[in-house]
């Protein structure tokens, strides 16, 4: 029997020692915090996209990939956070079966698109530093468009595979999801049948293989990048070369750091609260940090933002 609707069960929301007033206050505080972080994420990514669009000097492959990354982050957060915010203000935490499947599909699609784009950006930095004379040949407009398109195709493929595998299972009561969104582990706990374990192992293997594959390709790119940078004779030249990779490398560490905890952490019988906390951190905090990192760690983008926007507010100043 397939369930037509799931109910979200918030971790710790049913403690007997917690009054209704305290619970509502905590929910309101979390709502305001997540809302502000979500709005900042949207604003930051839209600001990056607008800057790249308006500044001709940023019409390069590196910033094309960054623009595509911002789009994937906007869609990823839009697939999960608005629903989570609505549930924080609602007494009925329920979601329809098809809505749950859609949320899982889009979250996995844009999440893995994000990973693939980070891998493409690592390859772009590898070509720029290790093969600068052939950069325009390797990273021509047609090739860049294909890399972005295949990243989106790969993300869509991952979303389709995971969602199809999970929602072809049979779900039998209770229909309570111990999570803030339709994620794989809490849904697997609601499934019944002989093939649940095989599906769980298959989905886990596919996700881990894709993430580790992307991460290893990024590591390989940076191994060649570091080897090339160390051959540069001047300290200034080495610093300039590495500074072009600093923002991307920081985002990679944050993204894969949280992703590895979620997908590689051993699943125990009492790990639901930890999974929920890490899921919220990965969903809300990682997209929140990404535009900050790219804006502050990328000198060229930061100067372009000042030129594009602050010069309009304060035209008497020179940026």
């Amino acid at each position: 029997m397939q369930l037509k609707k799931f109910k979200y069960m918030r971790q710790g929301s049913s403690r007997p020692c917690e009054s209704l007033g305290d619970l509502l206050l905590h929910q309101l505080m979390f709502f305001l915090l997540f809302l502000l972080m979500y709005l900042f994420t949207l604003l930051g990514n839209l600001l990056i996209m607008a800057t790249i669009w308006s500044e001709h000097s940023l019409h390069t492959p590196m910033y094309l990939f960054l623009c595509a990354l911002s789009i994937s982050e906007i869609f990823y957060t839009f697939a999960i956070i608005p629903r989570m915010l609505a549930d924080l203000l609602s007494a009925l935490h329920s979601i329809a079966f098809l809505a749950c499947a859609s949320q899982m599909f889009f979250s996995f699609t844009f999440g893995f698109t994000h990973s693939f784009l980070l891998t493409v950006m690592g390859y772009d930095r590898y070509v720029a530093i290790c093969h600068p004379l052939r950069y325009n040949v390797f990273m021509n407009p047609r090739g860049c468009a294909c890399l972005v398109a295949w990243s989106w195709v790969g993300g869509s493929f991952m979303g389709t595979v995971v969602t199809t595998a999970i929602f072809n299972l049979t779900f039998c009561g209770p229909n309570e999801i111990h999570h803030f969104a339709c994620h794989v582990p809490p849904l697997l706990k609601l499934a019944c049948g002989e093939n649940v374990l095989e599906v769980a192992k298959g989905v886990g293997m596919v996700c881990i293989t894709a993430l580790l594959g992307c991460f290893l390709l990024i590591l390989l790119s940076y191994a060649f990048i570091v080897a090339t940078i160390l051959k540069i004779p001047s300290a200034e030249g080495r610093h300039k070369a590495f500074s072009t990779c600093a923002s991307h490398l920081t985002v990679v560490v944050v993204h894969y750091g949280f992703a590895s905890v979620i997908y590689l952490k051993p699943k125990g019988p009492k790990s639901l609260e930890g999974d929920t906390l890490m899921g919220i951190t990965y969903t809300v905090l990682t997209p929140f940090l990404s535009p900050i990192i790219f804006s502050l760690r990328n000198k060229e983008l930061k100067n372009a933002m000042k030129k594009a926007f602050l010069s309009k507010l304060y035209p008497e100043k020179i940026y």
Side-chain angles (χ1 to χ4, degrees):
M1 178 186 69
Q2 292 281 10
L3 299 173
K4 299 301 182 183
K5 182 170 288 191
F6 293 113
K7 292 191 296 183
Y8 293 126
M9 296 297 293
R10 305 297 179 192
Q11 297 298 325
S13 62
S14 58
R15 291 176 295 180
C17 60
E18 186 174 48
S19 68
L20 179 60
D22 290 337
L23 177 60
L24 293 176
L25 179 61
H26 290 161
Q27 286 187 334
L28 181 60
M29 289 173 59
F30 280 120
F31 171 81
L32 292 175
L33 174 63
F34 293 152
L35 177 62
L36 289 175
M37 294 178 71
Y38 177 57
L39 293 177
F40 186 90
T41 301
L42 290 180
L43 181 61
N45 283 298
L46 289 173
L47 186 61
I48 289 174
M49 293 166 58
T51 303
I52 294 173
W53 179 267
S54 62
E55 287 298 311
H56 185 73
S57 61
L58 299 182
H59 292 180
T60 61
M62 174 182 173
Y63 293 103
L64 167 67
F65 299 140
L66 179 56
C67 191
L69 193 73
S70 294
I71 294 173
S72 72
E73 282 194 340
I74 289 174
F75 284 136
Y76 175 76
T77 54
F78 184 75
I80 299 177
I81 297 181
R83 180 88 198 194
M84 183 179 70
L85 292 174
D87 285 338
L88 283 172
L89 295 181
S90 173
L92 299 175
H93 304 150
S94 63
I95 185 171
F97 185 85
L98 290 179
C100 187
S102 298
Q103 186 183 68
M104 178 178 288
F105 169 75
F106 288 116
S107 63
F108 272 87
T109 293
F110 300 127
F112 275 99
T113 298
H114 189 91
S115 297
F116 296 145
L117 287 171
L118 286 175
T119 307
V120 168
M121 293 175 74
Y123 172 71
D124 171 76
R125 292 299 84 206
Y126 159 74
V127 176
I129 294 175
C130 300
H131 304 283
L133 298 180
R134 290 185 283 179
Y135 181 77
N136 290 332
V137 176
F138 288 151
M139 306 304 293
N140 58 78
R142 181 184 178 89
C144 292
C146 287
L147 288 172
V148 172
W150 278 111
S151 297
W152 285 88
V153 170
S156 300
F157 174 77
M158 291 297 298
T160 301
V161 168
V162 173
T163 305
T164 302
I166 295 299
F167 282 88
N168 272 334
L169 294 172
T170 299
F171 296 99
C172 40
N175 61 337
E176 297 170 349
I177 301 176
H178 290 268
H179 209 270
F180 67 95
C182 292
H183 197 46
V184 171
L187 283 175
L188 285 174
K189 292 182 180 298
L190 305 183
C192 52
E194 298 180 355
N195 62 334
V196 175
L197 185 59
E198 288 76 10
V199 170
K201 290 181 178 179
V203 169
M205 187 63 65
V206 168
C207 293
I208 292 173
T209 300
L211 286 173
L212 284 181
C214 291
F215 185 63
L216 290 176
L217 287 174
I218 294 173
L219 283 182
L220 184 62
S221 297
Y222 274 100
F224 286 111
I225 288 172
V226 170
T228 302
I229 290 177
L230 292 177
K231 294 178 183 178
I232 299 176
S234 67
E236 182 182 356
R238 291 193 296 270
H239 179 267
K240 183 178 180 181
F242 186 75
S243 64
T244 63
C245 308
S247 58
H248 173 257
L249 188 58
T250 305
V251 171
V252 166
V253 171
V254 172
H255 175 78
Y256 283 98
F258 286 120
S260 62
V261 172
I262 292 174
Y263 288 104
L264 300 181
K265 182 174 71 70
K267 304 297 182 183
K270 298 183 179 180
S271 65
L272 281 175
E273 290 195 15
D275 291 343
T276 302
L277 178 61
M278 288 307 303
I280 291 176
T281 304
Y282 182 77
T283 302
V284 180
L285 184 60
T286 304
F288 172 78
L289 293 176
S290 185
I292 297 176
I293 294 170
F294 278 115
S295 300
L296 296 181
R297 301 283 295 178
N298 190 306
K299 186 177 180 180
E300 190 176 12
L301 180 61
K302 183 166 62 175
N303 291 337
M305 285 182 173
K306 290 180 179 180
K307 179 182 176 183
F309 298 100
L310 292 183
S311 59
K312 295 179 181 178
L313 297 175
Y314 305 102
E316 68 278 3
K317 294 184 179 182
I318 300 177
Y319 294 93

